Amino acid sequence: MLYAVISQDVENSLEKRMSVRPAHVERLKLLQSEGRLILAGPHPAIDNNEPGEAGFTGSLVVAEFECLADAQAWADADPYMSSGAYASVIVKPFKKVLP
């Protein structure tokens, strides 16, 4: 089943994000190589794809997992969690309708 991993950053998270970004992206690439990643990306803090020092306010990942517990465990192990970049993460089932 698909799950949405919706993350909210702490204030001024950019430095914390950048310190572990390679590890974060590597985990996403693994999901992609397994054919389980639907989409992933951050929420820019300003109305711009390249927010610079404004940074990001969170992230969205939609991926396939066996169950909610597996999706939650994957989210809990994210380097952005351990670095303190994320203030909170919500994981919930997702039903893709379009496209």
Side-chain angles (χ1 to χ4, degrees):
M1 178 166 195
L2 295 179
Y3 294 88
V5 179
I6 307 156
S7 308
Q8 184 68 38
D9 281 22
V10 298
E11 292 288 323
N12 303 310
S13 64
L14 189 57
E15 186 175 318
K16 292 176 181 177
R17 276 178 165 265
M18 297 314 292
S19 71
V20 295
R21 186 173 187 278
H24 171 80
V25 171
E26 190 61 34
R27 296 176 80 237
L28 293 170
K29 287 181 178 179
L30 179 59
L31 284 179
Q32 183 180 28
S33 73
E34 295 170 347
R36 298 169 45 204
L37 182 64
I38 304 303
L39 64 88
H43 301 286
I46 59 174
D47 191 13
N48 191 310
N49 279 333
E50 300 297 332
E53 291 183 17
F56 302 93
T57 62
S59 300
L60 172 64
V61 174
V62 178
E64 184 178 348
F65 294 93
E66 286 291 320
C67 62
L68 179 59
D70 288 353
Q72 185 68 58
W74 183 88
D76 290 343
D78 194 292
Y80 285 174
M81 285 293 293
S82 59
S83 74
Y86 284 163
S88 64
V89 177
I90 297 171
V91 180
K92 53 186 169 180
F94 180 80
K95 180 181 175 184
K96 182 179 177 187
V97 176
L98 293 171

